[in-house]
Amino acid sequence: SHAAIKIQPMRQFFSSGHTNNWAVLVCTSRFWFNYRHVANTLSVYRSVKRLGIPDSHIVLMLADDMACNHRNPKPATVFSHKNMELNVYGDDVEVDYRGYEVTVENFLRVLTGRLPPSTPRSKRLLSDDRSNILIYLTGHGGNGFLKFQDSEEISNVELADAFEQMWQKRRYNELLFIIDTCQGASMYERFYSPNLMALASSQVGEDSLSHQPDLAIGVHLMDRYTFYLLEFLEDIHPSSKANMNDLFKVCPKSQCVSTPGHRTDLFLRDPGSALITDFFGSVRKVEITMETINLTEPIHFVNEERQKETYSYVDQLPVSEIIHQKPKQKDWHPPDGFILGLWTLILLVFFKTYGMKHLKHIF
Amino acid sequence: MGLLSDPNRRRALISLLTRLNAPICVVCYMAGVAWFMGLAFEPFTLRTYMSENAMGSTMVEERFPAGERALGTGREFSAHKKKAGGMPVDWLVKTMQSRGLEVFTQRFSRRLPFPDEDKERYMVKGTNVYGILRAPRAPRTEALVLSAPCSPGDDNNQAVGVLLGLAQYFRNQVFWAKDIIFLVNEHDLIGMQAWLEGYHHTNTTGMDWSPLQGRGGSIQAALSLELSSDVVTSLDLVLEGLNGQLPNLDLANLFYAFCQKIGVLCTTQGKLQRNDWDSVSGYSHAVQTMMLMVMKQASGRPWGDHGLFLRYHIEAATIKGINSFRQYKTDATTIGRLLEGMYRKLNNLLERLHQSYFFYLMPSLSHFVSIGYYMPAFGLLALILLLRALDLWIQLATPPTFNLNPPPSQMSSPGVLSVLTPLVISHLTGVALYTLPIHFQEIAVEHFPVSETEAVVLTAIAVYTAGLALPHNTHRGLFVPPFNGWKVLKLVAVLYLAVLLGCTALINFSLGFILALTLVPVAAFVTPDVPKALSAFIMVILSPACTLLFSVFLFQELQEMPVSFLDGWMLYLSVISQGILDHALYGSLVYPLVALLVYPCWLLFWNILFWK
């Protein structure tokens, strides 16, 4: 009755499909001269917090402590603009994985949820099938890998498999993956799970360049792509209607020197319909209704299909069919005995022609 | 069949080797010399570049303001130095403490084996004063050192002034991740040796020093400053250290990068860089710079106070301020800023400097030649020795066509003895050359009207010359060796020389190359058959002592201070005495190498020349 009528507007209401937002922000490099990677991550953290995602829904992983590094002439600060205009460290930063805890294993466990029971809640990604997740990685990378902590690497295949695990466990609704490293586009080449959108700061064979050299601190403060991304995000407010197509235009080649890339073929919606705040912010949707709901009657869910909807939604996807059930191609080999016989024939002909005395050359 | 296993082909190879041996040797020698000269040619060199990622570019803001105040402090230091008649320990301790450093002193004393006439000292007693600037937030695990020598007279006052000025400025900064030790050492190298031995708890040279009360962690890099005037026109970088060891090239790269950023004129070997590498004068300028470095490295002595740090794997260099009469002058504030920039970059280091080369030659401050490029020059010279050894081996293995000698079975036993005797006698002469000069100086002073230093040097020369008379005497005493025995001795001597020069060139390329230049022709051509008088003369000219004499004259020429023969001879004597002193005081290995190994090897060839 009444409940049945409400379903229709709710479908429009939840047109984006997600009900909560998470962010996983990772800086993978340590050492003082990699100051800019920590500053990159903290700039995205700042924007994401400003647009509404709370600390409880952000997993921030910083591989080194730049603010309290002995070489920092301004202790307890991390600047993103030269001449110390903007301190992205602030006074309410909550780092979840710090220093040596930022490893490939911990990162993959956070994504897939396979953490030991003793892990505190702040270190877990507690997303569900209605979560939009923003994943931001920065550090030193190459063609097909990203370096963690100067001692290990994560490859693009591992990352794609991790996302597939997340998909199979329904740990995300939609996922935006941003990477700012050298040759960053190679990291999203191998994705095959649905509902992934990816952006990278440079193509394969290109280096992402640093920006903002600061003489007082003595290091580069930011990377170009994230610097212009931060400038773009500073203009976004929670009710902004800017969409992903605007995000793709951030940092053209004239500003970035490298060519940023993106990938949208696995994303099921039109990127133009995906708002920036769908991933970077946590927008609480409020709709004022003039109709009354009778709370004395128990509410029965009229159509059970709503639960099945989630599964049938998935089954509709032709993508998973094609990708998961592709038969493995086996190369054709000639039968084993054939090769042996061929070689025996060759040897016999050789010895017949040149005589047996040449055998001693072999032995 | 294979090349070496087929007897026909083997005979052909062997005959080729014996026929063409002399021409190939000559070609190799000329190729080696040409390769070496070509190293200074700019297209064959590489531009210097920063290899260490942590040091990066010169992106740092230098803000040192107090150059004039530093010079004032230097003048105060000079006044107190005159009053105290040496190191003004109390004033230095008070000044460093007022700047917020933790100050400690170290007393040391040393009796030299014989008086040093260049620096006029024999019984040396002194005090080192050093202050440690603790890093505000870092653990005390690593340190950097800035040192200035306390020299007698008016030298290096400004260096101490700049050191104290920098100490005050550095104390106000919060970004230091390593402790900085400001050291003022007395009696230059002797004081530095005492300090380093005390710091690292080693006692290799038998010096007497008081233990250090304060320490700062393992030292990552050190700079020594020599500044004797208020303004300078250029800064000179000195790299050569003890036994020809060089600091990591990144330290020189760092210095050069900052010189370019700040705009100070920088030189190496005191020679300005030139841009016209394709002209003859430009090329000869580069050759001169490189030859100066080669000669300094070959001498095995530390050419600045930094030279003793290298043994402890601490990268160190000396920066000298030079005031020649040029229009553009650099003041103390700029020098302070350059040092500040260098120390801020060294502060960023996470590991010891190891990314760049440890073995290199520099024809100018912006170009270098690495070991991979200069070693073939030595390799070509060593090849000559190997070819000669092969030739001798072939001659010994094949029985000669006219056989007047006893059958081969009888040759082996007298062969060994005929080799062993000259070997033992030559090495005993070498040992005599090493030990006698210092031990018999009292006897020499009693009998002759000379000072101790002169006694030592003249005894050394006397022993050296006495060795020349040996072949005549030993042959009379012992049995007459067989006719062909000299070939065995020469084979052994050639291989011995090859191994000796090879090992020397690996550690100190310059010394190995210079010795090879003169000794390889000797080893190659000497036989009992060559004309005796002429060959003896040539051998003496090419012996290590005469090589040293010529090097002294060449060195003075290269520094554009040519000397007359008499002055050169006095300089030569002082070089010998300094070499012996370096060995006794700091552990330099050039004197024992030449006395105990190279000279006996040369004597073996002398024996072969006079073989009967």
Side-chain angles (χ1 to χ4, degrees):
Chain A
S1 47
H2 292 287
I5 304 166
K6 296 283 183 299
I7 300 291
Q8 297 292 346
M10 274 204 285
R11 199 169 278 145
Q12 272 172 5
F13 190 56
F14 289 109
S15 62
S16 63
H18 74 285
T19 59
N20 55 77
N21 287 85
W22 284 82
V24 178
L25 310 175
V26 184
C27 160
T28 60
S29 36
R30 57 172 38 242
F31 303 140
W32 173 246
F33 56 87
N34 289 322
Y35 183 103
R36 58 190 189 276
H37 297 140
V38 171
N40 289 350
T41 317
L42 285 172
S43 321
V44 178
Y45 172 79
R46 171 204 160 76
S47 309
V48 149
K49 252 179 95 157
R50 191 175 52 81
L51 291 171
I53 304 186
D55 274 318
S56 56
H57 280 52
I58 302 178
V59 178
L60 178 62
M61 304 169 84
L62 296 180
D64 202 356
D65 183 7
M66 296 306 167
C68 297
N69 192 307
H70 312 310
R71 296 168 180 79
N72 194 344
K74 295 268 179 279
T77 59
V78 173
F79 291 106
S80 65
H81 284 61
K82 65 180 170 190
N83 303 323
M84 300 185 226
E85 285 168 16
L86 180 58
N87 174 16
V88 289
Y89 201 66
D91 49 4
D92 61 346
V93 168
E94 192 184 289
V95 182
D96 301 305
Y97 285 83
R98 52 176 65 93
Y100 288 106
E101 291 170 355
V102 178
T103 58
V104 173
E105 183 184 340
N106 281 347
F107 175 58
L108 292 176
R109 283 187 184 280
V110 162
L111 287 183
T112 55
R114 289 206 169 99
L115 289 160
S118 55
T119 317
R121 278 182 83 89
S122 60
K123 287 187 166 167
R124 288 178 186 266
L125 177 67
L126 297 164
S127 56
D128 55 24
D129 63 324
R130 288 269 161 250
S131 308
N132 273 10
I133 307 183
L134 165 71
I135 297 189
Y136 176 82
L137 291 174
T138 182
H140 288 288
N143 191 355
F145 67 91
L146 170 64
K147 185 173 78 155
F148 266 70
Q149 297 267 15
D150 212 31
S151 60
E152 50 180 5
E153 312 164 338
I154 188 173
S155 65
N156 48 5
V157 176
E158 285 174 346
L159 197 58
D161 286 344
F163 287 157
E164 174 63 13
Q165 283 191 52
M166 287 175 79
W167 174 252
Q168 290 192 1
K169 288 163 73 166
R170 304 292 176 266
R171 279 170 68 76
Y172 68 89
N173 174 38
E174 285 166 349
L175 196 144
L176 175 64
F177 174 77
I178 305 184
I179 183 162
D180 187 352
T181 64
C182 301
Q183 309 194 51
S186 63
M187 289 306 281
Y188 60 62
E189 272 171 5
R190 301 293 191 119
F191 289 175
Y192 54 93
S193 316
N195 267 342
L196 295 177
M197 183 164 11
L199 282 111
S201 59
S202 57
Q203 300 293 327
V204 174
E206 286 181 345
D207 287 337
S208 286
L209 300 179
S210 53
H211 200 40
Q212 301 293 302
D214 185 302
L215 292 177
I217 300 183
V219 287
H220 286 279
L221 298 183
M222 284 283 268
D223 278 326
R224 280 179 187 257
Y225 182 74
T226 312
F227 181 75
Y228 290 109
L229 181 68
L230 175 64
E231 279 195 359
F232 171 75
L233 289 174
E234 290 284 299
D235 289 334
I236 306 285
H237 49 259
S239 60
S240 159
K241 293 287 170 215
N243 57 42
M244 283 298 153
N245 285 333
D246 302 321
L247 192 62
F248 298 153
K249 293 199 199 98
V250 164
C251 210
K253 195 171 163 90
S254 55
Q255 282 176 329
C256 253
V257 185
S258 59
T259 319
H262 56 254
R263 179 175 179 181
T264 52
D265 56 318
L266 294 165
F267 200 70
L268 292 170
R269 287 194 287 154
D270 172 32
S273 70
L275 301 177
I276 302 278
T277 50
D278 281 351
F279 292 100
F280 283 87
S282 186
V283 182
R284 298 265 177 271
K285 292 198 170 66
V286 175
E287 183 172 302
I288 306 200
T289 173
M290 294 305 205
E291 292 154 5
T292 55
I293 303 177
N294 192 344
L295 285 175
T296 52
E297 281 178 31
I299 297 179
H300 301 285
F301 280 104
V302 174
N303 24 2
E304 292 297 324
E305 71 197 60
R306 198 163 166 271
Q307 286 213 301
K308 286 197 221 103
E309 209 181 74
T310 49
Y311 289 96
S312 63
Y313 171 65
V314 167
D315 290 335
Q316 281 166 26
L317 298 173
V319 179
S320 53
E321 305 269 348
I322 300 172
I323 290 177
H324 294 303
Q325 273 83 38
K326 234 192 291 197
K328 263 214 292 203
Q329 279 196 342
K330 291 185 77 168
D331 299 317
W332 180 81
H333 293 287
D336 300 312
F338 174 70
I339 298 180
L340 198 59
L342 192 63
W343 272 108
T344 318
L345 189 63
I346 293 174
L347 283 172
L348 281 175
V349 170
F350 176 77
F351 286 123
K352 195 77 171 47
T353 322
Y354 293 101
M356 295 299 281
K357 67 179 188 288
H358 287 273
L359 264 182
K360 70 174 181 293
H361 284 286
I362 306 172
F363 300 110
Chain B
M1 205 160 306
L3 188 65
L4 292 177
S5 46
D6 183 3
N8 292 328
R9 287 199 195 146
R10 206 189 325 179
R11 246 175 275 135
L13 256 184
I14 288 171
S15 73
L16 198 74
L17 203 62
T18 40
R19 266 186 309 122
L20 292 181
N21 205 313
I24 294 182
C25 286
V26 171
V27 166
C28 275
Y29 188 79
M30 301 208 305
V33 173
W35 189 293
F36 180 73
M37 300 304 281
L39 290 174
F41 190 49
E42 199 164 299
F44 297 160
T45 59
L46 292 169
R47 286 200 77 88
T48 53
Y49 55 93
M50 285 299 293
S51 301
E52 174 68 56
N53 218 355
M55 289 212 290
S57 60
T58 54
M59 184 172 51
V60 78
E61 200 179 10
E62 305 95 358
R63 284 202 227 106
F64 178 67
E68 292 310 313
R69 208 170 343 141
L71 291 178
T73 318
R75 284 188 277 273
E76 267 188 60
F77 172 71
S78 153
H80 281 93
K81 189 165 69 167
K82 276 202 220 351
K83 203 161 62 153
M87 175 89 123
V89 177
D90 297 323
W91 179 84
L92 262 179
V93 168
K94 204 161 51 86
T95 318
M96 280 192 183
Q97 270 174 348
S98 72
R99 279 161 170 70
L101 310 178
E102 290 179 17
V103 190
F104 307 95
T105 60
Q106 182 200 27
R107 310 185 73 82
F108 61 91
S109 72
R110 173 86 209 219
R111 192 168 77 92
L112 272 60
F114 53 89
D116 181 354
E117 286 193 345
D118 285 353
K119 299 207 180 84
E120 287 158 15
R121 56 189 181 191
Y122 179 51
M123 274 292 301
V124 173
K125 268 209 244 293
T127 320
N128 291 329
V129 178
Y130 64 104
I132 306 182
L133 169 70
R134 297 288 182 194
R137 295 172 280 148
R140 299 170 179 190
T141 47
E142 292 174 345
L144 297 169
V145 173
L146 176 62
S147 83
C150 170
S151 313
D154 272 331
D155 288 333
N156 288 325
N157 295 326
Q158 285 83 354
V160 175
V162 169
L163 181 135
L164 292 171
L166 278 176
Q168 185 162 30
Y169 178 70
F170 284 0
R171 188 71 183 85
N172 294 332
Q173 312 301 321
V174 296
F175 48 69
W176 297 112
K178 303 183 207 288
D179 293 343
I180 306 189
I181 303 178
F182 295 92
L183 169 68
V184 181
N185 54 320
E186 197 175 0
H187 298 295
D188 50 86
L189 286 168
I190 299 183
M192 186 59 89
Q193 179 72 18
W195 190 80
L196 281 171
E197 283 187 358
Y199 198 88
H200 293 98
H201 309 297
T202 59
N203 198 337
T204 49
T205 56
M207 215 188 291
D208 221 353
W209 36 262
S210 64
L212 296 183
Q213 303 296 320
R215 238 185 144 263
S218 93
I219 304 178
Q220 305 289 298
L223 282 179
S224 177
L225 190 59
E226 286 178 25
L227 193 60
S228 300
S229 57
D230 282 356
V231 289
V232 293
T233 51
S234 63
L235 286 176
D236 192 45
L237 183 71
V238 184
L239 294 169
E240 301 82 12
L242 187 65
N243 289 328
Q245 202 174 350
L246 299 169
N248 196 294
L249 189 59
D250 263 338
L251 202 57
N253 297 337
L254 184 69
F255 176 73
Y256 183 61
F258 271 99
C259 282
Q260 287 201 302
K261 178 186 181 201
I262 294 191
V264 182
L265 208 58
C266 285
T267 61
T268 182
Q269 319 301 337
K271 286 203 182 298
L272 258 186
Q273 216 173 312
R274 283 170 67 144
N275 289 336
D276 52 344
W277 55 264
D278 43 355
S279 72
V280 172
S281 54
Y283 170 68
S284 83
H285 186 87
V287 167
Q288 281 174 32
T289 316
M290 195 178 75
M291 279 309 295
L292 271 172
M293 178 170 184
V294 162
M295 308 204 82
K296 283 189 181 174
Q297 196 184 8
S299 70
R301 66 188 321 235
W303 286 86
D305 285 358
H306 72 285
L308 298 172
F309 281 93
L310 298 169
R311 195 184 356 209
Y312 299 93
H313 200 192
I314 300 170
E315 312 307 329
T318 298
I319 299 180
K320 278 174 32 174
I322 296 183
N323 193 8
S324 62
F325 301 99
R326 207 179 275 275
Q327 200 181 14
Y328 190 71
K329 303 227 185 259
T330 311
D331 61 348
T333 312
T334 319
I335 299 177
R337 288 206 175 152
L338 188 134
L339 289 171
E340 179 198 352
M342 284 183 78
Y343 271 87
R344 268 204 81 172
K345 280 292 153 187
L346 288 172
N347 182 42
N348 282 355
L349 278 180
L350 297 150
E351 307 166 290
R352 285 180 193 275
L353 287 167
H354 68 283
Q355 301 277 7
S356 191
Y357 298 95
F358 287 101
F359 296 97
Y360 50 89
L361 289 175
M362 295 188 86
S364 71
L365 201 52
S366 62
H367 290 263
F368 75 99
V369 184
S370 71
I371 184 171
Y373 284 97
Y374 68 56
M375 236 357 151
F378 177 78
L380 286 167
L381 294 182
L383 190 62
I384 297 175
L385 293 174
L386 292 178
L387 285 174
R388 274 286 174 223
L390 268 177
D391 187 35
L392 283 166
W393 180 262
I394 292 164
Q395 285 179 20
L396 284 172
T398 59
T401 49
F402 51 99
N403 199 340
L404 300 175
N405 305 333
S409 59
Q410 229 174 29
M411 256 178 74
S412 50
S413 32
V416 168
L417 206 55
S418 76
V419 167
L420 215 52
T421 322
L423 215 64
V424 168
I425 295 185
S426 308
H427 281 88
L428 283 177
T429 321
V431 170
L433 182 59
Y434 179 67
T435 51
L436 286 184
I438 298 184
H439 284 238
F440 286 3
Q441 54 173 313
E442 296 100 16
I443 304 178
V445 168
E446 272 176 37
H447 291 273
F448 299 100
V450 287
S451 66
E452 283 96 342
T453 320
E454 283 174 3
V456 169
V457 174
L458 293 175
T459 315
I461 296 181
V463 173
Y464 189 95
T465 325
L468 298 183
L470 271 176
H472 308 281
N473 300 328
T474 54
H475 283 191
R476 252 177 255 144
L478 303 173
F479 62 94
V480 178
F483 180 68
N484 237 0
W486 68 267
K487 286 201 182 158
V488 181
L489 178 61
K490 184 166 179 194
L491 179 64
V492 168
V494 162
L495 288 176
Y496 179 36
L497 185 67
V499 167
L500 183 64
L501 289 179
C503 295
T504 311
L506 278 178
I507 300 172
N508 187 343
F509 165 76
S510 309
L511 184 62
F513 189 76
I514 291 180
L515 286 174
L517 268 182
T518 51
L519 290 176
V520 162
V522 163
F525 83 81
V526 80
T527 62
D529 305 325
V530 291
K532 292 259 195 295
L534 183 64
S535 316
F537 179 67
I538 294 179
M539 269 198 79
V540 169
I541 296 287
L542 291 177
S543 73
C546 283
T547 314
L548 184 60
L549 184 63
F550 292 140
S551 310
V552 166
F553 281 104
L554 182 63
F555 187 66
Q556 291 299 119
E557 278 287 334
L558 287 173
Q559 286 196 315
E560 288 161 20
M561 292 190 294
V563 287
S564 65
F565 183 72
L566 211 56
D567 288 334
W569 177 258
M570 298 310 295
L571 200 58
Y572 173 65
L573 294 181
S574 83
V575 164
I576 296 182
S577 74
Q578 289 294 317
I580 301 177
L581 271 179
D582 279 348
H583 169 62
L585 287 176
Y586 320 121
S588 159
L589 292 173
V590 175
Y591 176 64
L593 179 82
V594 171
L596 292 173
L597 293 172
V598 174
Y599 175 63
C601 200
W602 181 84
L603 269 186
L604 285 177
F605 290 109
W606 185 256
N607 261 308
I608 294 171
L609 181 61
F610 287 101
W611 195 273
K612 273 195 265 293

